[in-house]
Amino acid sequence: ILNTKSSLFVKRPWKEAIEGLASRGLIVLQISVSALSYRISSTLEPKAPSGRERLEALSNVSDVVPSVVRLQPIIPGLLEVEVDDLINALTASGVKHVITEFIRETPSGLKALYARLNGFGVEFNQALWESYGISGEGLLRPRLEYRYSVLEELKLRLRKHGITMATCKEGLFQFHD
């Protein structure tokens, strides 16, 4: 499994190497996307290509290389801002499978994250968060009700385009294809 936030896999010599491995059934390419737009991506991951650029690169190899998109981390509020464009971009990329994973972060980390997202129509909503972990690590994650509703909608929308879905570290196996 090659998991990346890069788009170098469409350049030489990487593209030829990946396609060679794919021809022998020896590789799955996974790209991680946390945000689609350039403005938001550059705020969250300033040294990586935008999510849209990664998906466009994926469209250059997805017909030859088994490809997965990891929507991670899913950040409450951000997904809602981009969901329509995201579904269209996933469909255009040729990806056949999506893995989802929600953010887990400390309260101070969430405060800093949402401060960076201020101005993009994304706001922190304390009511969406619950404690995560059994030994008091201080991490928060989105509440089960929120995660469930997001996954339910994503699965329905992805299925309309022939894209399968699974979760990572969620334990919500009813959403796995």
Side-chain angles (χ1 to χ4, degrees):
I1 297 172
L2 172 59
N3 191 3
T4 185
K5 290 185 177 187
S6 177
S7 57
L8 289 175
F9 57 85
V10 294
K11 296 185 179 182
R12 296 190 78 203
W14 311 115
K15 184 177 181 188
E16 291 81 5
I18 291 168
E19 287 175 345
L21 289 168
S23 72
R24 299 190 333 238
L26 297 175
I27 194 167
V28 172
L29 174 62
Q30 292 187 115
I31 63 164
S32 296
V33 174
S34 56
L36 196 57
S37 80
Y38 175 78
R39 287 182 56 228
I40 296 172
S41 288
S42 64
T43 299
L44 295 174
E45 303 165 333
K47 300 202 183 266
S50 72
R52 186 173 306 281
E53 290 169 312
R54 292 176 221 171
L55 290 173
E56 287 171 357
L58 185 65
S59 71
N60 290 306
V61 297
S62 62
D63 59 333
V64 176
V65 179
S67 304
V68 173
V69 170
R70 295 185 65 95
L71 295 180
Q72 74 178 92
I74 295 176
I75 301 168
L78 180 56
L79 179 66
E80 291 83 349
V81 168
E82 295 192 318
V83 70
D84 293 329
D85 287 341
L86 178 64
I87 297 296
N88 291 335
L90 287 168
T91 302
S93 76
V95 70
K96 302 290 187 247
H97 189 67
V98 169
I99 299 172
T100 61
E101 184 176 355
F102 288 86
I103 190 169
R104 290 174 239 354
E105 184 56 83
T106 62
S108 62
L110 288 173
K111 183 179 179 180
L113 172 66
Y114 280 93
R116 288 197 322 248
L117 292 172
N118 189 18
F120 295 111
V122 179
E123 295 182 16
F124 179 74
N125 179 350
Q126 180 67 43
L128 288 180
W129 299 90
E130 66 184 11
S131 181
Y132 175 74
I134 57 173
S135 59
E137 296 91 354
L139 293 176
L140 298 174
R141 71 174 173 184
R143 291 191 178 281
L144 178 60
E145 298 82 8
Y146 173 82
R147 289 180 286 134
Y148 195 92
S149 68
V150 166
L151 292 173
E152 194 169 54
E153 180 181 347
L154 272 176
K155 185 166 181 131
L156 286 171
R157 293 181 75 170
L158 292 170
R159 196 176 264 171
K160 287 179 183 177
H161 298 281
I163 301 171
T164 59
M165 187 178 97
T167 67
C168 181
K169 301 178 189 169
E170 298 298 336
L172 300 172
F173 302 114
Q174 65 270 35
F175 293 106
H176 291 210
D177 291 313

